[in-house]
Amino acid sequence: QVQLVQSGAEVKKPGASVKVSCKASGYTFSSYGITWVRQAPGQGLEWMGWINSYNGNTNYGQQFQDRVTMTTDTSTSTADMELTSLRSDDTAVYYCARVNQAFNDGEVIYGYFDYWGRGTPVTVSS
Amino acid sequence: SYDLTQPPSVSVSPGQTASITCSGDKLGDKYACWYQQKPGQSPVLVIYQDTKRPSGIPERFSGSNSGNTATLTISGTQAMDEADYYCQAWDSRTYVFGTGTKVTVL
C-alpha cells in the first residue's frame, strides 16, 4: 500500500531554515511527483510547489519562489522540502502528497493529490 | 492569480443531501477535485477529475463541474461526513485550493 512517512516536528527561531523529509513506499517513486502543502493553525490548505521525481524539475508557488527548495532522492524514495528565512507566519503543518498528473506535450494539464503524509508541525518562535 | 471560492459553512441534517460549491473563472474548462479533512487528520481525496471517486470512497459522494462552478454532493449525509472540504484545480502552472467549507451535520 502507498505510504508517505514524514519527519518529526520542528521548532525553529525566526530567520532559521527547516528541512522536512517525506519517505515514500508502495509504488514506483519516479513515476509520480511529490507536492508540498501547508496549513497554518485554523486556516485552509496552501500549495507550496511540486517536484518531478523522475527528473527533479520543480514548480514552486509564487509566494515561496525565493525561499523554498524541493529535492528528491530516487535511491531512497525520499523527497525533501527546505524553507529558509523562517518567519512566525510560517508556523504550520507541512504535508507531502503524491501528485497524480496528466500531461500534454510535456505540460501538466491537471493533477490531484491522491496520497498524503501525516504532516510535520513546524513552529517558528523566538 | 486564480481564485476558488467556497461557502464558509454548510449545515445538513443526517440523511439529507449536502451540496458544496466551488466557484472560479471558467472552472468548467478545468478539472476539479475535492478533499475531505477531519480535525487533526490529513486531507483525503474524495473526488478527482470532476466526477470520479477513488477506491474506498462511498458512493454517496459525487461531483460535477460546469461553467464557473464545481459542486460536491453528499447524498444521505452521515455524521461521519462532518469535516472541512476543499476544492482544487490547476491553473497557469499552479495548483490552487478553494477557501474551504465546514460541513456540519446537525
Side-chain angles (χ1 to χ4, degrees):
Chain A
Q1 73 284 20
V2 175
Q3 281 193 306
L4 298 172
V5 178
Q6 297 186 224
S7 51
E10 302 268 10
V11 179
K12 297 292 182 180
K13 293 194 182 303
S17 300
V18 68
K19 180 179 276 193
V20 180
S21 293
C22 172
K23 183 170 177 60
S25 62
Y27 71 98
T28 302
F29 182 70
S30 57
S31 295
Y32 297 85
I34 293 288
T35 191
W36 292 87
V37 175
R38 75 178 186 180
Q39 186 171 37
Q43 302 301 306
L45 302 174
E46 182 177 27
W47 180 71
M48 299 181 69
W50 78 276
I51 181 167
N52 185 321
S53 305
Y54 177 74
N55 59 21
N57 288 347
T58 54
N59 178 198
Y60 301 142
Q62 189 148 7
Q63 64 272 46
F64 300 104
Q65 287 275 5
D66 298 333
R67 297 196 296 137
V68 73
T69 302
M70 297 177 187
T71 57
T72 56
D73 183 342
T74 54
S75 68
T76 59
S77 298
T78 300
D80 291 332
M81 185 281 298
E82 183 175 30
L83 189 63
T84 62
S85 303
L86 290 169
R87 309 182 290 254
S88 58
D89 62 0
D90 290 318
T91 294
V93 176
Y94 289 76
Y95 295 100
C96 64
R98 190 178 82 166
V99 57
N100 203 323
Q101 300 175 111
F103 294 85
N104 187 19
D105 287 338
E107 290 293 318
V108 175
I109 54 173
Y110 70 86
Y112 51 91
F113 311 151
D114 54 2
Y115 292 92
W116 293 66
R118 297 184 72 169
T120 296
V122 175
T123 302
V124 183
S125 174
S126 55
Chain B
S1 65
Y2 191 75
D3 295 321
L4 293 174
T5 301
Q6 299 178 230
S9 62
V10 167
S11 297
V12 60
S13 300
Q16 298 304 302
T17 296
S19 295
I20 307 161
T21 57
C22 173
S23 299
D25 186 46
K26 297 180 182 177
L27 180 57
D29 292 344
K30 312 175 193 300
Y31 277 120
C33 63
W34 292 89
Y35 302 91
Q36 175 194 70
Q37 186 181 32
K38 297 181 179 180
Q41 297 185 19
S42 303
V44 173
L45 180 70
V46 294
I47 293 289
Y48 66 100
Q49 282 182 253
D50 293 341
T51 62
K52 298 181 180 179
R53 274 180 294 105
S55 166
I57 299 302
E59 289 184 12
R60 63 180 180 273
F61 289 89
S62 63
S64 64
N65 186 14
S66 178
N68 294 321
T69 304
T71 302
L72 174 69
T73 302
I74 312 173
S75 305
T77 306
Q78 299 184 9
M80 68 173 67
D81 301 329
E82 187 162 287
D84 293 327
Y85 291 84
Y86 296 90
C87 60
Q88 176 239 300
W90 168 260
D91 177 82
S92 301
R93 296 174 53 81
T94 299
Y95 283 107
V96 180
F97 285 103
T99 49
T101 298
K102 181 175 183 58
V103 170
T104 302
V105 182
L106 298 170

